[in-house]
Amino acid sequence: QVTLVESGGGLVQPGGSLRLSCAASGSIFSINGMGWYRRAPGKQRELVTAIRADGSTYYSDSVKGRFTISRDNAKNTVYLAMNSLKPEDTAVYYCNVAASSDGDYYTNYWGQGTQVTVSS
């Protein structure tokens, strides 16, 4: 079993910055993809950004150039640096990690979610 613990959400003014962290722990042999999703009020959950084991990244058009995803493999942790935040970035942010206990079969795990509110 793998547990993800998120931290770093909060209230920030438009134009401000926040950094989210998501640490994975438990029966982990290897981690493949790591990513961040968000769900805004009244909307469906959407993929914001993801990073593969080889370091390649994906960003949705809405955050490209403002958000940066990174990972620390030694700590089994993924980060999301969010700059130039806008009110439309307000959402609950969830991390997602594909982890394996044996290196063969990977399972997707979800964090508990952390609220990000962008408001003046």
Side-chain angles (χ1 to χ4, degrees):
Q1 187 65 23
V2 174
T3 301
L4 304 182
V5 177
E6 301 180 27
S7 61
L11 172 64
V12 64
Q13 292 187 343
S17 300
L18 281 176
R19 186 180 189 232
L20 307 183
S21 300
C22 173
S25 61
S27 301
I28 299 172
F29 177 82
S30 62
I31 292 177
N32 195 352
M34 310 178 86
W36 291 93
Y37 289 72
R38 68 185 180 187
R39 176 175 284 158
K43 295 186 178 181
Q44 290 187 334
R45 184 177 61 192
E46 63 170 343
L47 173 62
V48 176
T49 179
I51 183 167
R52 294 193 178 97
D54 64 3
S56 60
T57 57
Y58 161 84
Y59 294 95
S60 67
D61 288 342
S62 61
V63 306
K64 200 171 296 182
R66 300 187 297 121
F67 291 11
T68 302
I69 190 171
S70 60
R71 60 191 285 170
D72 185 331
N73 293 326
K75 296 181 178 179
N76 291 334
T77 299
V78 61
Y79 304 97
L80 179 60
M82 304 183 291
N83 298 313
S84 302
L85 282 161
K86 305 175 181 180
E88 50 263 43
D89 295 317
T90 295
V92 178
Y93 284 71
Y94 300 89
C95 67
N96 176 268
V97 170
S100 172
S101 61
D102 58 11
D104 290 326
Y105 181 75
Y106 287 82
T107 300
N108 276 309
Y109 296 93
W110 292 91
Q112 80 278 12
T114 185
Q115 177 71 46
V116 171
T117 302
V118 185
S119 175
S120 55

